[in-house]
């Protein structure tokens, strides 16, 4: 990995910050345009074969609007370790609130609403990836914010960027995936904006399809204030924000370039001269 999360948190613990999903009520997923069984399996920490078995599917073909039964696998030991680590770091926060669980809520939805790591939400409420939410249940939220764009400064260096680090680190696993014009998934390949859209969709943030439209989303960020997870934009053909990628830190960003998903240096003469700005979703 090119950076360390939360002042030296190990890669094993970082993986514990993954997206386990716990529902209040029936565990189902509605297929959206562009979804694949592999992407749904990755989101819910299960396998394609398990999804096919649960839903009686004989092929990988799915269609928008289809309801799928989802069964999340448990990775309790690593998630609990990561949850405890993040919880310990954030324990100095004096801000807290209470959320009442509604029908259909998931821990992931709640964590996104308040801008806090899922693992922290589990730790604050003594929950694990196998816990079941109940309508009316009260959940403690500590130091949350409403969106990624509202990440504020923190007395602990890097803490406010925890979600941004997770986004950037998740993006790294697709390094080497071939470039494909109009591509929006690992199986079909990625173009620049399709890659950014796919990575952020994993975290529940739905971005527009093109780089031009993505440039109008979120909050503008000065180059000197860039944090991992920010979307950086470049004018590569003289028509504005025609290319984008995800900032990783230390002047590097990951993007679907002309041949494949790769990490490039924003300070190089080419990228520095074509840089047009950055946004924080």
């Amino acid at each position: 990995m090119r950076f360390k999360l939360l002042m030296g948190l190990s890669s094993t613990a970082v993986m514990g910050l993954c997206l386990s999903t716990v529902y209040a009520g029936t565990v189902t997923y509605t297929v959206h345009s562009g979804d694949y069984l592999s992407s749904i399996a990755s989101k819910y920490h299960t396998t394609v074969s398990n999804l096919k078995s649960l839903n009686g599917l004989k092929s990988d073909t799915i269609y928008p609007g289809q309801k799928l039964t989802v069964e999340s696998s448990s990775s309790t030991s690593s998630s609990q370790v990561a949850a405890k680590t993040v919880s310990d770091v954030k324990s100095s926060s004096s801000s807290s609130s209470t959320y009442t669980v509604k029908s259909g809520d998931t821990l992931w939805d709640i964590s996104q609403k308040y801008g806090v790591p899922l693992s922290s939400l589990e730790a604050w409420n003594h929950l694990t990836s196998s816990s079941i939410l109940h309508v009316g249940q009260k959940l403690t939220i500590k130091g949350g914010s409403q969106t990624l764009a509202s990440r504020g400064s923190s007395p602990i260096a890097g803490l406010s960027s925890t979600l941004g680090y997770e986004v950037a680190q998740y993006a790294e696993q697709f390094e080497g995936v071939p470039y494909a014009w109009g591509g929006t998934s690992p199986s079909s390949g990625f173009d620049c904006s399709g890659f950014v859209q796919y990575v952020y969709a994993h975290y529940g943030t739905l971005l527009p399809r093109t780089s031009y439209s993505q440039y109008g989303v979120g909050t503008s960020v000065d180059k000197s204030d860039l944090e991992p997870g920010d979307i950086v934009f470049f004018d590569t053909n003289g028509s504005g924000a025609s290319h984008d990628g995800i900032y990783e830190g230390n002047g590097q960003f990951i993007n679907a370039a002309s041949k494949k998903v790769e990490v490039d240096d924003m300070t190089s003469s080419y990228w520095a001269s074509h840089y047009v700005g950055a946004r924080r979703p």
Side-chain angles (χ1 to χ4, degrees):
M1 296 300 174
R2 292 180 178 80
F3 47 77
K4 293 182 179 180
L5 177 62
L6 289 179
M7 303 173 291
L9 195 62
S10 70
S11 59
T12 300
V14 170
M15 292 305 293
L17 296 174
C18 56
L19 300 182
S20 56
T21 303
V22 182
Y23 281 79
T26 304
V27 182
T28 59
Y29 176 80
T30 302
V31 177
H32 302 285
S33 177
D35 275 345
Y36 293 85
L37 282 180
S38 57
S39 62
I40 297 171
S42 175
K43 179 177 181 179
Y44 288 95
H45 288 268
T46 186
T47 64
V48 170
S49 60
N50 192 36
L51 284 178
K52 292 171 70 173
S53 175
L54 285 169
N55 294 278
L57 301 176
K58 296 182 178 181
S59 71
D60 291 349
T61 302
I62 54 178
Y63 54 87
Q66 183 177 0
K67 302 289 186 180
L68 296 179
T69 298
V70 178
E71 182 179 79
S72 301
S73 62
S74 175
S75 55
T76 302
S77 59
S78 60
S79 63
Q80 285 179 334
V81 170
K84 184 178 186 302
T85 303
V86 176
S87 178
D88 288 345
V89 174
K90 291 185 74 66
S91 63
S92 60
S93 174
S94 59
S95 174
S96 64
S97 59
T98 300
Y99 178 81
T100 302
V101 175
K102 300 177 179 61
S103 178
D105 273 345
T106 73
L107 282 177
W108 172 246
D109 291 338
I110 297 168
S111 72
Q112 288 300 286
K113 178 178 181 179
Y114 286 91
V116 298
L118 175 60
S119 53
S120 294
L121 185 59
E122 290 176 341
W124 296 330
N125 294 280
H126 309 290
L127 301 172
T128 70
S129 58
S130 59
S131 299
I132 301 298
L133 293 182
H134 303 283
V135 175
Q137 182 176 353
K138 304 292 186 181
L139 297 180
T140 297
I141 311 291
K142 298 183 179 180
S145 58
Q146 290 298 314
T147 63
L148 179 63
S150 65
R151 289 179 290 174
S153 60
S154 167
I156 303 176
L159 181 59
S160 64
S161 303
T162 299
L163 182 55
Y165 275 102
E166 291 186 49
V167 170
Q169 187 173 50
Y170 175 72
E172 280 191 353
Q173 69 178 281
F174 302 107
E175 191 172 352
V177 171
Y179 177 89
W181 176 259
T184 58
S185 73
S187 58
S188 64
F190 289 115
D191 64 14
C192 64
S193 55
F195 172 63
V196 172
Q197 183 187 53
Y198 182 89
V199 169
Y200 264 95
H202 184 75
Y203 288 85
T205 299
L206 303 181
L207 296 176
R209 176 62 186 89
T210 70
S211 58
Y212 301 99
S213 296
Q214 290 172 4
Y215 193 48
V217 171
T219 303
S220 178
V221 181
D222 289 338
K223 195 172 186 179
S224 60
D225 295 327
L226 283 173
E227 296 179 355
D230 290 339
I231 304 175
V232 288
F233 295 85
F234 305 86
D235 182 351
T236 56
N237 60 16
S239 61
S242 55
H243 183 78
D244 60 357
I246 297 173
Y247 187 65
E248 291 197 314
N250 299 319
Q252 294 186 318
F253 74 106
I254 186 166
N255 66 127
S258 59
K259 294 183 179 180
K260 62 182 180 180
V261 175
E262 63 184 38
V263 175
D264 288 310
D265 187 350
M266 285 177 56
T267 65
S268 68
S269 58
Y270 177 81
W271 292 114
S273 62
H274 290 79
Y275 179 79
V276 295
R279 309 290 293 187
R280 186 169 297 159

